[in-house]
PDB file of all heavy atoms in Angstrom:
ATOM      1  N   GLY V 448       0.787  -1.221   0.000  1.00  0.00           N
ATOM      2  CA  GLY V 448       0.000   0.000   0.000  1.00  0.00           C
ATOM      3  C   GLY V 448       0.821   1.274   0.000  1.00  0.00           C
ATOM      4  O   GLY V 448       0.272   2.361  -0.214  1.00  0.00           O
ATOM      5  N   GLN V 449       2.138   1.178   0.241  1.00  0.00           N
ATOM      6  CA  GLN V 449       2.981   2.368   0.228  1.00  0.00           C
ATOM      7  C   GLN V 449       3.562   2.587  -1.164  1.00  0.00           C
ATOM      8  O   GLN V 449       3.584   1.688  -2.007  1.00  0.00           O
ATOM      9  CB  GLN V 449       4.103   2.238   1.262  1.00  0.00           C
ATOM     10  CG  GLN V 449       3.635   2.388   2.706  1.00  0.00           C
ATOM     11  CD  GLN V 449       4.793   2.502   3.666  1.00  0.00           C
ATOM     12  OE1 GLN V 449       4.891   1.763   4.649  1.00  0.00           O
ATOM     13  NE2 GLN V 449       5.694   3.432   3.398  1.00  0.00           N
ATOM     14  N   TRP V 450       4.052   3.803  -1.374  1.00  0.00           N
ATOM     15  CA  TRP V 450       4.607   4.180  -2.668  1.00  0.00           C
ATOM     16  C   TRP V 450       6.110   3.918  -2.696  1.00  0.00           C
ATOM     17  O   TRP V 450       6.795   4.050  -1.678  1.00  0.00           O
ATOM     18  CB  TRP V 450       4.325   5.638  -2.964  1.00  0.00           C
ATOM     19  CG  TRP V 450       2.869   5.913  -3.182  1.00  0.00           C
ATOM     20  CD1 TRP V 450       1.958   6.307  -2.251  1.00  0.00           C
ATOM     21  CD2 TRP V 450       2.151   5.792  -4.414  1.00  0.00           C
ATOM     22  NE1 TRP V 450       0.712   6.434  -2.818  1.00  0.00           N
ATOM     23  CE2 TRP V 450       0.797   6.134  -4.148  1.00  0.00           C
ATOM     24  CE3 TRP V 450       2.500   5.430  -5.715  1.00  0.00           C
ATOM     25  CZ2 TRP V 450      -0.177   6.125  -5.141  1.00  0.00           C
ATOM     26  CZ3 TRP V 450       1.530   5.432  -6.705  1.00  0.00           C
ATOM     27  CH2 TRP V 450       0.216   5.765  -6.415  1.00  0.00           C
ATOM     28  N   ALA V 451       6.595   3.544  -3.869  1.00  0.00           N
ATOM     29  CA  ALA V 451       8.013   3.235  -4.042  1.00  0.00           C
ATOM     30  C   ALA V 451       8.385   3.463  -5.497  1.00  0.00           C
ATOM     31  O   ALA V 451       7.520   3.697  -6.351  1.00  0.00           O
ATOM     32  CB  ALA V 451       8.301   1.788  -3.644  1.00  0.00           C
ATOM     33  N   PHE V 452       9.669   3.377  -5.791  1.00  0.00           N
ATOM     34  CA  PHE V 452      10.107   3.451  -7.177  1.00  0.00           C
ATOM     35  C   PHE V 452       9.873   2.110  -7.862  1.00  0.00           C
ATOM     36  O   PHE V 452       9.948   1.063  -7.220  1.00  0.00           O
ATOM     37  CB  PHE V 452      11.585   3.828  -7.263  1.00  0.00           C
ATOM     38  CG  PHE V 452      11.868   5.230  -6.803  1.00  0.00           C
ATOM     39  CD1 PHE V 452      12.777   5.477  -5.786  1.00  0.00           C
ATOM     40  CD2 PHE V 452      11.234   6.304  -7.401  1.00  0.00           C
ATOM     41  CE1 PHE V 452      13.032   6.762  -5.364  1.00  0.00           C
ATOM     42  CE2 PHE V 452      11.483   7.601  -6.981  1.00  0.00           C
ATOM     43  CZ  PHE V 452      12.384   7.826  -5.965  1.00  0.00           C
ATOM     44  N   PRO V 453       9.600   2.125  -9.157  1.00  0.00           N
ATOM     45  CA  PRO V 453       9.465   0.851  -9.878  1.00  0.00           C
ATOM     46  C   PRO V 453      10.762   0.060  -9.781  1.00  0.00           C
ATOM     47  O   PRO V 453      11.848   0.609  -9.931  1.00  0.00           O
ATOM     48  CB  PRO V 453       9.194   1.284 -11.325  1.00  0.00           C
ATOM     49  CG  PRO V 453       8.744   2.708 -11.228  1.00  0.00           C
ATOM     50  CD  PRO V 453       9.416   3.286 -10.030  1.00  0.00           C
ATOM     51  N   GLY V 454      10.642  -1.234  -9.543  1.00  0.00           N
ATOM     52  CA  GLY V 454      11.841  -2.058  -9.437  1.00  0.00           C
ATOM     53  C   GLY V 454      11.511  -3.453  -8.962  1.00  0.00           C
ATOM     54  O   GLY V 454      10.353  -3.779  -8.693  1.00  0.00           O
ATOM     55  N   GLY V 455      12.535  -4.270  -8.863  1.00  0.00           N
ATOM     56  CA  GLY V 455      12.324  -5.640  -8.407  1.00  0.00           C
ATOM     57  C   GLY V 455      13.598  -6.444  -8.477  1.00  0.00           C
ATOM     58  O   GLY V 455      14.684  -5.917  -8.768  1.00  0.00           O
ATOM     59  N   PHE V 456      13.487  -7.737  -8.224  1.00  0.00           N
ATOM     60  CA  PHE V 456      14.645  -8.608  -8.147  1.00  0.00           C
ATOM     61  C   PHE V 456      15.223  -8.889  -9.527  1.00  0.00           C
ATOM     62  O   PHE V 456      14.496  -9.092 -10.506  1.00  0.00           O
ATOM     63  CB  PHE V 456      14.271  -9.917  -7.453  1.00  0.00           C
ATOM     64  CG  PHE V 456      14.071  -9.760  -5.974  1.00  0.00           C
ATOM     65  CD1 PHE V 456      12.804  -9.523  -5.457  1.00  0.00           C
ATOM     66  CD2 PHE V 456      15.139  -9.824  -5.099  1.00  0.00           C
ATOM     67  CE1 PHE V 456      12.619  -9.360  -4.094  1.00  0.00           C
ATOM     68  CE2 PHE V 456      14.958  -9.659  -3.731  1.00  0.00           C
ATOM     69  CZ  PHE V 456      13.694  -9.427  -3.231  1.00  0.00           C
ATOM     70  N   LEU V 457      16.543  -8.912  -9.578  1.00  0.00           N
ATOM     71  CA  LEU V 457      17.274  -9.157 -10.809  1.00  0.00           C
ATOM     72  C   LEU V 457      17.291 -10.656 -11.108  1.00  0.00           C
ATOM     73  O   LEU V 457      17.501 -11.480 -10.216  1.00  0.00           O
ATOM     74  CB  LEU V 457      18.706  -8.635 -10.656  1.00  0.00           C
ATOM     75  CG  LEU V 457      19.579  -8.542 -11.892  1.00  0.00           C
ATOM     76  CD1 LEU V 457      18.990  -7.551 -12.886  1.00  0.00           C
ATOM     77  CD2 LEU V 457      20.986  -8.109 -11.489  1.00  0.00           C
ATOM     78  N   LYS V 458      17.068 -10.993 -12.376  1.00  0.00           N
ATOM     79  CA  LYS V 458      17.121 -12.392 -12.793  1.00  0.00           C
ATOM     80  C   LYS V 458      18.563 -12.794 -13.108  1.00  0.00           C
ATOM     81  O   LYS V 458      19.410 -11.959 -13.401  1.00  0.00           O
ATOM     82  CB  LYS V 458      16.228 -12.604 -14.011  1.00  0.00           C
ATOM     83  CG  LYS V 458      14.751 -12.407 -13.729  1.00  0.00           C
ATOM     84  CD  LYS V 458      13.911 -12.674 -14.975  1.00  0.00           C
ATOM     85  CE  LYS V 458      12.417 -12.526 -14.680  1.00  0.00           C
ATOM     86  NZ  LYS V 458      11.583 -12.784 -15.893  1.00  0.00           N
ATOM     87  N   MET V 459      18.815 -14.092 -13.065  1.00  0.00           N
ATOM     88  CA  MET V 459      20.170 -14.598 -13.252  1.00  0.00           C
ATOM     89  C   MET V 459      20.691 -14.375 -14.668  1.00  0.00           C
ATOM     90  O   MET V 459      21.902 -14.352 -14.887  1.00  0.00           O
ATOM     91  CB  MET V 459      20.220 -16.094 -12.915  1.00  0.00           C
ATOM     92  CG  MET V 459      19.875 -16.415 -11.471  1.00  0.00           C
ATOM     93  SD  MET V 459      21.066 -15.733 -10.289  1.00  0.00           S
ATOM     94  CE  MET V 459      22.480 -16.793 -10.594  1.00  0.00           C
ATOM     95  N   ASN V 460      19.797 -14.230 -15.628  1.00  0.00           N
ATOM     96  CA  ASN V 460      20.222 -14.156 -17.031  1.00  0.00           C
ATOM     97  C   ASN V 460      20.147 -12.746 -17.608  1.00  0.00           C
ATOM     98  O   ASN V 460      20.078 -12.578 -18.832  1.00  0.00           O
ATOM     99  CB  ASN V 460      19.378 -15.106 -17.886  1.00  0.00           C
ATOM    100  CG  ASN V 460      17.904 -14.726 -17.889  1.00  0.00           C
ATOM    101  OD1 ASN V 460      17.469 -13.931 -17.064  1.00  0.00           O
ATOM    102  ND2 ASN V 460      17.142 -15.291 -18.814  1.00  0.00           N
ATOM    103  N   GLU V 461      20.142 -11.704 -16.775  1.00  0.00           N
ATOM    104  CA  GLU V 461      20.050 -10.342 -17.292  1.00  0.00           C
ATOM    105  C   GLU V 461      21.016  -9.416 -16.569  1.00  0.00           C
ATOM    106  O   GLU V 461      21.390  -9.645 -15.419  1.00  0.00           O
ATOM    107  CB  GLU V 461      18.617  -9.812 -17.160  1.00  0.00           C
ATOM    108  CG  GLU V 461      18.093  -9.722 -15.752  1.00  0.00           C
ATOM    109  CD  GLU V 461      16.614  -9.356 -15.689  1.00  0.00           C
ATOM    110  OE1 GLU V 461      15.971  -9.195 -16.741  1.00  0.00           O
ATOM    111  OE2 GLU V 461      16.098  -9.266 -14.557  1.00  0.00           O
ATOM    112  N   THR V 462      21.416  -8.373 -17.275  1.00  0.00           N
ATOM    113  CA  THR V 462      22.246  -7.353 -16.659  1.00  0.00           C
ATOM    114  C   THR V 462      21.365  -6.458 -15.791  1.00  0.00           C
ATOM    115  O   THR V 462      20.131  -6.513 -15.856  1.00  0.00           O
ATOM    116  CB  THR V 462      22.943  -6.496 -17.726  1.00  0.00           C
ATOM    117  OG1 THR V 462      21.933  -5.767 -18.458  1.00  0.00           O
ATOM    118  CG2 THR V 462      23.740  -7.362 -18.699  1.00  0.00           C
ATOM    119  N   ALA V 463      22.009  -5.601 -15.007  1.00  0.00           N
ATOM    120  CA  ALA V 463      21.243  -4.715 -14.131  1.00  0.00           C
ATOM    121  C   ALA V 463      20.365  -3.767 -14.938  1.00  0.00           C
ATOM    122  O   ALA V 463      19.194  -3.546 -14.597  1.00  0.00           O
ATOM    123  CB  ALA V 463      22.187  -3.934 -13.223  1.00  0.00           C
ATOM    124  N   SER V 464      20.899  -3.204 -16.020  1.00  0.00           N
ATOM    125  CA  SER V 464      20.092  -2.270 -16.829  1.00  0.00           C
ATOM    126  C   SER V 464      18.945  -2.999 -17.516  1.00  0.00           C
ATOM    127  O   SER V 464      17.841  -2.449 -17.640  1.00  0.00           O
ATOM    128  CB  SER V 464      20.969  -1.549 -17.854  1.00  0.00           C
ATOM    129  OG  SER V 464      21.567  -2.465 -18.749  1.00  0.00           O
ATOM    130  N   GLU V 465      19.173  -4.223 -17.945  1.00  0.00           N
ATOM    131  CA  GLU V 465      18.095  -5.006 -18.551  1.00  0.00           C
ATOM    132  C   GLU V 465      17.000  -5.281 -17.519  1.00  0.00           C
ATOM    133  O   GLU V 465      15.804  -5.178 -17.811  1.00  0.00           O
ATOM    134  CB  GLU V 465      18.637  -6.325 -19.102  1.00  0.00           C
ATOM    135  CG  GLU V 465      19.508  -6.161 -20.339  1.00  0.00           C
ATOM    136  CD  GLU V 465      20.225  -7.442 -20.727  1.00  0.00           C
ATOM    137  OE1 GLU V 465      20.275  -8.381 -19.904  1.00  0.00           O
ATOM    138  OE2 GLU V 465      20.752  -7.498 -21.856  1.00  0.00           O
ATOM    139  N   GLY V 466      17.416  -5.641 -16.302  1.00  0.00           N
ATOM    140  CA  GLY V 466      16.445  -5.896 -15.243  1.00  0.00           C
ATOM    141  C   GLY V 466      15.666  -4.652 -14.873  1.00  0.00           C
ATOM    142  O   GLY V 466      14.461  -4.708 -14.612  1.00  0.00           O
ATOM    143  N   ALA V 467      16.344  -3.502 -14.859  1.00  0.00           N
ATOM    144  CA  ALA V 467      15.666  -2.248 -14.528  1.00  0.00           C
ATOM    145  C   ALA V 467      14.608  -1.907 -15.573  1.00  0.00           C
ATOM    146  O   ALA V 467      13.478  -1.539 -15.234  1.00  0.00           O
ATOM    147  CB  ALA V 467      16.694  -1.123 -14.423  1.00  0.00           C
ATOM    148  N   ARG V 468      14.961  -2.041 -16.846  1.00  0.00           N
ATOM    149  CA  ARG V 468      14.000  -1.742 -17.903  1.00  0.00           C
ATOM    150  C   ARG V 468      12.827  -2.728 -17.891  1.00  0.00           C
ATOM    151  O   ARG V 468      11.679  -2.341 -18.129  1.00  0.00           O
ATOM    152  CB  ARG V 468      14.688  -1.738 -19.265  1.00  0.00           C
ATOM    153  CG  ARG V 468      15.615  -0.551 -19.480  1.00  0.00           C
ATOM    154  CD  ARG V 468      16.028  -0.430 -20.933  1.00  0.00           C
ATOM    155  NE  ARG V 468      16.873  -1.559 -21.326  1.00  0.00           N
ATOM    156  CZ  ARG V 468      18.198  -1.542 -21.275  1.00  0.00           C
ATOM    157  NH1 ARG V 468      18.831  -0.463 -20.833  1.00  0.00           N
ATOM    158  NH2 ARG V 468      18.893  -2.577 -21.660  1.00  0.00           N
ATOM    159  N   ARG V 469      13.125  -4.001 -17.605  1.00  0.00           N
ATOM    160  CA  ARG V 469      12.052  -4.995 -17.539  1.00  0.00           C
ATOM    161  C   ARG V 469      11.084  -4.680 -16.413  1.00  0.00           C
ATOM    162  O   ARG V 469       9.855  -4.687 -16.602  1.00  0.00           O
ATOM    163  CB  ARG V 469      12.649  -6.395 -17.337  1.00  0.00           C
ATOM    164  CG  ARG V 469      11.585  -7.481 -17.082  1.00  0.00           C
ATOM    165  CD  ARG V 469      12.204  -8.829 -16.806  1.00  0.00           C
ATOM    166  NE  ARG V 469      13.151  -8.795 -15.701  1.00  0.00           N
ATOM    167  CZ  ARG V 469      12.809  -8.767 -14.408  1.00  0.00           C
ATOM    168  NH1 ARG V 469      11.519  -8.734 -14.050  1.00  0.00           N
ATOM    169  NH2 ARG V 469      13.733  -8.750 -13.467  1.00  0.00           N
ATOM    170  N   GLU V 470      11.608  -4.396 -15.229  1.00  0.00           N
ATOM    171  CA  GLU V 470      10.741  -4.088 -14.095  1.00  0.00           C
ATOM    172  C   GLU V 470       9.936  -2.813 -14.345  1.00  0.00           C
ATOM    173  O   GLU V 470       8.766  -2.720 -13.969  1.00  0.00           O
ATOM    174  CB  GLU V 470      11.577  -3.943 -12.819  1.00  0.00           C
ATOM    175  CG  GLU V 470      12.102  -5.254 -12.255  1.00  0.00           C
ATOM    176  CD  GLU V 470      10.997  -6.080 -11.601  1.00  0.00           C
ATOM    177  OE1 GLU V 470       9.890  -5.547 -11.386  1.00  0.00           O
ATOM    178  OE2 GLU V 470      11.248  -7.258 -11.302  1.00  0.00           O
ATOM    179  N   LEU V 471      10.558  -1.834 -14.974  1.00  0.00           N
ATOM    180  CA  LEU V 471       9.854  -0.586 -15.282  1.00  0.00           C
ATOM    181  C   LEU V 471       8.662  -0.873 -16.187  1.00  0.00           C
ATOM    182  O   LEU V 471       7.558  -0.340 -15.970  1.00  0.00           O
ATOM    183  CB  LEU V 471      10.811   0.394 -15.949  1.00  0.00           C
ATOM    184  CG  LEU V 471      10.232   1.751 -16.353  1.00  0.00           C
ATOM    185  CD1 LEU V 471       9.768   2.529 -15.131  1.00  0.00           C
ATOM    186  CD2 LEU V 471      11.272   2.560 -17.146  1.00  0.00           C
ATOM    187  N   TRP V 472       8.859  -1.705 -17.187  1.00  0.00           N
ATOM    188  CA  TRP V 472       7.769  -2.043 -18.106  1.00  0.00           C
ATOM    189  C   TRP V 472       6.691  -2.867 -17.391  1.00  0.00           C
ATOM    190  O   TRP V 472       5.502  -2.602 -17.540  1.00  0.00           O
ATOM    191  CB  TRP V 472       8.319  -2.807 -19.303  1.00  0.00           C
ATOM    192  CG  TRP V 472       7.254  -3.457 -20.139  1.00  0.00           C
ATOM    193  CD1 TRP V 472       6.952  -4.786 -20.222  1.00  0.00           C
ATOM    194  CD2 TRP V 472       6.309  -2.788 -20.984  1.00  0.00           C
ATOM    195  NE1 TRP V 472       5.906  -5.000 -21.080  1.00  0.00           N
ATOM    196  CE2 TRP V 472       5.487  -3.791 -21.565  1.00  0.00           C
ATOM    197  CE3 TRP V 472       6.091  -1.457 -21.326  1.00  0.00           C
ATOM    198  CZ2 TRP V 472       4.452  -3.487 -22.449  1.00  0.00           C
ATOM    199  CZ3 TRP V 472       5.066  -1.152 -22.203  1.00  0.00           C
ATOM    200  CH2 TRP V 472       4.259  -2.157 -22.755  1.00  0.00           C
ATOM    201  N   GLU V 473       7.107  -3.857 -16.612  1.00  0.00           N
ATOM    202  CA  GLU V 473       6.137  -4.730 -15.962  1.00  0.00           C
ATOM    203  C   GLU V 473       5.266  -3.980 -14.956  1.00  0.00           C
ATOM    204  O   GLU V 473       4.088  -4.301 -14.791  1.00  0.00           O
ATOM    205  CB  GLU V 473       6.857  -5.883 -15.260  1.00  0.00           C
ATOM    206  CG  GLU V 473       7.489  -6.898 -16.208  1.00  0.00           C
ATOM    207  CD  GLU V 473       8.267  -7.987 -15.487  1.00  0.00           C
ATOM    208  OE1 GLU V 473       8.405  -7.911 -14.239  1.00  0.00           O
ATOM    209  OE2 GLU V 473       8.731  -8.913 -16.164  1.00  0.00           O
ATOM    210  N   GLU V 474       5.824  -2.987 -14.293  1.00  0.00           N
ATOM    211  CA  GLU V 474       5.084  -2.310 -13.232  1.00  0.00           C
ATOM    212  C   GLU V 474       4.395  -1.024 -13.677  1.00  0.00           C
ATOM    213  O   GLU V 474       3.495  -0.547 -12.979  1.00  0.00           O
ATOM    214  CB  GLU V 474       6.017  -2.006 -12.058  1.00  0.00           C
ATOM    215  CG  GLU V 474       6.513  -3.271 -11.365  1.00  0.00           C
ATOM    216  CD  GLU V 474       7.212  -2.999 -10.049  1.00  0.00           C
ATOM    217  OE1 GLU V 474       7.576  -1.823  -9.798  1.00  0.00           O
ATOM    218  OE2 GLU V 474       7.397  -3.943  -9.273  1.00  0.00           O
ATOM    219  N   THR V 475       4.797  -0.461 -14.818  1.00  0.00           N
ATOM    220  CA  THR V 475       4.209   0.821 -15.235  1.00  0.00           C
ATOM    221  C   THR V 475       3.831   0.866 -16.708  1.00  0.00           C
ATOM    222  O   THR V 475       3.225   1.834 -17.147  1.00  0.00           O
ATOM    223  CB  THR V 475       5.176   1.988 -14.970  1.00  0.00           C
ATOM    224  OG1 THR V 475       6.294   1.891 -15.853  1.00  0.00           O
ATOM    225  CG2 THR V 475       5.668   1.973 -13.522  1.00  0.00           C
ATOM    226  N   PHE V 476       4.222  -0.131 -17.490  1.00  0.00           N
ATOM    227  CA  PHE V 476       4.021  -0.155 -18.942  1.00  0.00           C
ATOM    228  C   PHE V 476       4.708   1.034 -19.614  1.00  0.00           C
ATOM    229  O   PHE V 476       4.224   1.569 -20.613  1.00  0.00           O
ATOM    230  CB  PHE V 476       2.531  -0.201 -19.299  1.00  0.00           C
ATOM    231  CG  PHE V 476       1.865  -1.483 -18.870  1.00  0.00           C
ATOM    232  CD1 PHE V 476       1.163  -1.540 -17.676  1.00  0.00           C
ATOM    233  CD2 PHE V 476       1.977  -2.631 -19.633  1.00  0.00           C
ATOM    234  CE1 PHE V 476       0.564  -2.729 -17.260  1.00  0.00           C
ATOM    235  CE2 PHE V 476       1.386  -3.824 -19.225  1.00  0.00           C
ATOM    236  CZ  PHE V 476       0.677  -3.874 -18.042  1.00  0.00           C
ATOM    237  N   LEU V 477       5.840   1.410 -19.053  1.00  0.00           N
ATOM    238  CA  LEU V 477       6.635   2.496 -19.609  1.00  0.00           C
ATOM    239  C   LEU V 477       7.951   1.926 -20.116  1.00  0.00           C
ATOM    240  O   LEU V 477       8.613   1.157 -19.410  1.00  0.00           O
ATOM    241  CB  LEU V 477       6.909   3.558 -18.538  1.00  0.00           C
ATOM    242  CG  LEU V 477       7.624   4.831 -18.975  1.00  0.00           C
ATOM    243  CD1 LEU V 477       6.757   5.641 -19.928  1.00  0.00           C
ATOM    244  CD2 LEU V 477       7.987   5.673 -17.761  1.00  0.00           C
ATOM    245  N   LYS V 478       8.332   2.301 -21.340  1.00  0.00           N
ATOM    246  CA  LYS V 478       9.586   1.847 -21.918  1.00  0.00           C
ATOM    247  C   LYS V 478      10.513   3.024 -22.157  1.00  0.00           C
ATOM    248  O   LYS V 478      10.088   4.067 -22.644  1.00  0.00           O
ATOM    249  CB  LYS V 478       9.346   1.120 -23.247  1.00  0.00           C
ATOM    250  CG  LYS V 478       8.813  -0.290 -23.108  1.00  0.00           C
ATOM    251  CD  LYS V 478       8.756  -0.987 -24.463  1.00  0.00           C
ATOM    252  CE  LYS V 478       8.293  -2.436 -24.315  1.00  0.00           C
ATOM    253  NZ  LYS V 478       8.257  -3.142 -25.628  1.00  0.00           N
ATOM    254  N   THR V 479      11.779   2.846 -21.825  1.00  0.00           N
ATOM    255  CA  THR V 479      12.799   3.831 -22.149  1.00  0.00           C
ATOM    256  C   THR V 479      14.148   3.152 -22.185  1.00  0.00           C
ATOM    257  O   THR V 479      14.442   2.287 -21.357  1.00  0.00           O
ATOM    258  CB  THR V 479      12.823   5.004 -21.147  1.00  0.00           C
ATOM    259  OG1 THR V 479      13.865   5.915 -21.528  1.00  0.00           O
ATOM    260  CG2 THR V 479      13.088   4.524 -19.729  1.00  0.00           C
ATOM    261  N   GLU V 480      14.940   3.511 -23.156  1.00  0.00           N
ATOM    262  CA  GLU V 480      16.303   2.995 -23.255  1.00  0.00           C
ATOM    263  C   GLU V 480      17.298   3.945 -22.605  1.00  0.00           C
ATOM    264  O   GLU V 480      18.453   3.583 -22.378  1.00  0.00           O
ATOM    265  CB  GLU V 480      16.674   2.786 -24.734  1.00  0.00           C
ATOM    266  CG  GLU V 480      15.830   1.736 -25.446  1.00  0.00           C
ATOM    267  CD  GLU V 480      16.000   0.350 -24.845  1.00  0.00           C
ATOM    268  OE1 GLU V 480      17.136  -0.007 -24.475  1.00  0.00           O
ATOM    269  OE2 GLU V 480      14.992  -0.376 -24.738  1.00  0.00           O
ATOM    270  N   ALA V 481      16.842   5.153 -22.301  1.00  0.00           N
ATOM    271  CA  ALA V 481      17.751   6.205 -21.839  1.00  0.00           C
ATOM    272  C   ALA V 481      17.907   6.208 -20.323  1.00  0.00           C
ATOM    273  O   ALA V 481      17.727   7.228 -19.667  1.00  0.00           O
ATOM    274  CB  ALA V 481      17.261   7.563 -22.318  1.00  0.00           C
ATOM    275  N   ILE V 482      18.205   5.053 -19.735  1.00  0.00           N
ATOM    276  CA  ILE V 482      18.425   5.012 -18.292  1.00  0.00           C
ATOM    277  C   ILE V 482      19.921   5.037 -17.996  1.00  0.00           C
ATOM    278  O   ILE V 482      20.722   4.470 -18.740  1.00  0.00           O
ATOM    279  CB  ILE V 482      17.753   3.791 -17.634  1.00  0.00           C
ATOM    280  CG1 ILE V 482      18.324   2.482 -18.169  1.00  0.00           C
ATOM    281  CG2 ILE V 482      16.244   3.841 -17.815  1.00  0.00           C
ATOM    282  CD1 ILE V 482      17.846   1.265 -17.405  1.00  0.00           C
ATOM    283  N   ARG V 483      20.270   5.704 -16.926  1.00  0.00           N
ATOM    284  CA  ARG V 483      21.665   5.809 -16.502  1.00  0.00           C
ATOM    285  C   ARG V 483      21.799   5.247 -15.089  1.00  0.00           C
ATOM    286  O   ARG V 483      20.900   5.416 -14.269  1.00  0.00           O
ATOM    287  CB  ARG V 483      22.122   7.272 -16.499  1.00  0.00           C
ATOM    288  CG  ARG V 483      21.940   7.998 -17.809  1.00  0.00           C
ATOM    289  CD  ARG V 483      22.422   9.423 -17.681  1.00  0.00           C
ATOM    290  NE  ARG V 483      22.249  10.184 -18.898  1.00  0.00           N
ATOM    291  CZ  ARG V 483      22.735  11.408 -19.077  1.00  0.00           C
ATOM    292  NH1 ARG V 483      23.423  11.994 -18.120  1.00  0.00           N
ATOM    293  NH2 ARG V 483      22.539  12.040 -20.226  1.00  0.00           N
ATOM    294  N   GLU V 484      22.915   4.626 -14.829  1.00  0.00           N
ATOM    295  CA  GLU V 484      23.123   4.079 -13.489  1.00  0.00           C
ATOM    296  C   GLU V 484      23.341   5.214 -12.502  1.00  0.00           C
ATOM    297  O   GLU V 484      24.176   6.100 -12.718  1.00  0.00           O
ATOM    298  CB  GLU V 484      24.313   3.127 -13.481  1.00  0.00           C
ATOM    299  CG  GLU V 484      24.460   2.364 -12.175  1.00  0.00           C
ATOM    300  CD  GLU V 484      25.468   1.247 -12.250  1.00  0.00           C
ATOM    301  OE1 GLU V 484      25.613   0.643 -13.340  1.00  0.00           O
ATOM    302  OE2 GLU V 484      26.118   0.970 -11.223  1.00  0.00           O
ATOM    303  N   LEU V 485      22.596   5.186 -11.430  1.00  0.00           N
ATOM    304  CA  LEU V 485      22.671   6.220 -10.402  1.00  0.00           C
ATOM    305  C   LEU V 485      23.635   5.834  -9.291  1.00  0.00           C
ATOM    306  O   LEU V 485      24.436   6.647  -8.827  1.00  0.00           O
ATOM    307  CB  LEU V 485      21.276   6.469  -9.817  1.00  0.00           C
ATOM    308  CG  LEU V 485      21.182   7.408  -8.616  1.00  0.00           C
ATOM    309  CD1 LEU V 485      21.622   8.819  -9.006  1.00  0.00           C
ATOM    310  CD2 LEU V 485      19.749   7.428  -8.073  1.00  0.00           C
ATOM    311  N   GLY V 486      23.551   4.590  -8.832  1.00  0.00           N
ATOM    312  CA  GLY V 486      24.421   4.149  -7.757  1.00  0.00           C
ATOM    313  C   GLY V 486      23.915   2.860  -7.132  1.00  0.00           C
ATOM    314  O   GLY V 486      22.830   2.370  -7.456  1.00  0.00           O
ATOM    315  N   THR V 487      24.708   2.323  -6.226  1.00  0.00           N
ATOM    316  CA  THR V 487      24.370   1.088  -5.519  1.00  0.00           C
ATOM    317  C   THR V 487      24.108   1.417  -4.054  1.00  0.00           C
ATOM    318  O   THR V 487      24.878   2.150  -3.427  1.00  0.00           O
ATOM    319  CB  THR V 487      25.514   0.066  -5.630  1.00  0.00           C
ATOM    320  OG1 THR V 487      25.784  -0.178  -7.023  1.00  0.00           O
ATOM    321  CG2 THR V 487      25.135  -1.244  -4.961  1.00  0.00           C
ATOM    322  N   PHE V 488      23.043   0.859  -3.508  1.00  0.00           N
ATOM    323  CA  PHE V 488      22.626   1.158  -2.140  1.00  0.00           C
ATOM    324  C   PHE V 488      22.664  -0.146  -1.332  1.00  0.00           C
ATOM    325  O   PHE V 488      21.995  -1.122  -1.689  1.00  0.00           O
ATOM    326  CB  PHE V 488      21.237   1.788  -2.142  1.00  0.00           C
ATOM    327  CG  PHE V 488      21.224   3.125  -2.843  1.00  0.00           C
ATOM    328  CD1 PHE V 488      21.156   3.194  -4.231  1.00  0.00           C
ATOM    329  CD2 PHE V 488      21.328   4.298  -2.109  1.00  0.00           C
ATOM    330  CE1 PHE V 488      21.177   4.423  -4.883  1.00  0.00           C
ATOM    331  CE2 PHE V 488      21.357   5.528  -2.758  1.00  0.00           C
ATOM    332  CZ  PHE V 488      21.275   5.591  -4.140  1.00  0.00           C
ATOM    333  N   THR V 489      23.466  -0.123  -0.259  1.00  0.00           N
ATOM    334  CA  THR V 489      23.824  -1.385   0.401  1.00  0.00           C
ATOM    335  C   THR V 489      23.585  -1.386   1.907  1.00  0.00           C
ATOM    336  O   THR V 489      24.155  -2.220   2.622  1.00  0.00           O
ATOM    337  CB  THR V 489      25.307  -1.707   0.135  1.00  0.00           C
ATOM    338  OG1 THR V 489      26.124  -0.677   0.718  1.00  0.00           O
ATOM    339  CG2 THR V 489      25.594  -1.803  -1.346  1.00  0.00           C
TER     340      THR V 489
END
């Protein structure tokens, strides 16, 4: 019920950018190739 950024778990057969674009499409039906890596949060 809370708000968050689109995202999800990375699959074993995809890169991080591929996983990000896939999750973005699955959760919002939005496609974009122009994504840039922001950083890693640990």
Side-chain angles (χ1 to χ4, degrees):
Q449 287 190 233
W450 292 93
F452 293 123
F456 287 93
L457 191 63
K458 294 182 178 180
M459 298 295 289
N460 63 346
E461 62 187 2
T462 65
S464 61
E465 289 170 346
R468 289 193 293 267
R469 173 183 55 77
E470 286 287 348
L471 179 63
W472 167 253
E473 290 177 355
E474 294 191 345
T475 69
F476 294 97
L477 185 66
K478 284 186 177 181
T479 179
E480 296 297 321
I482 62 171
R483 305 180 181 188
E484 189 169 328
L485 173 64
T487 303
F488 296 81
T489 63

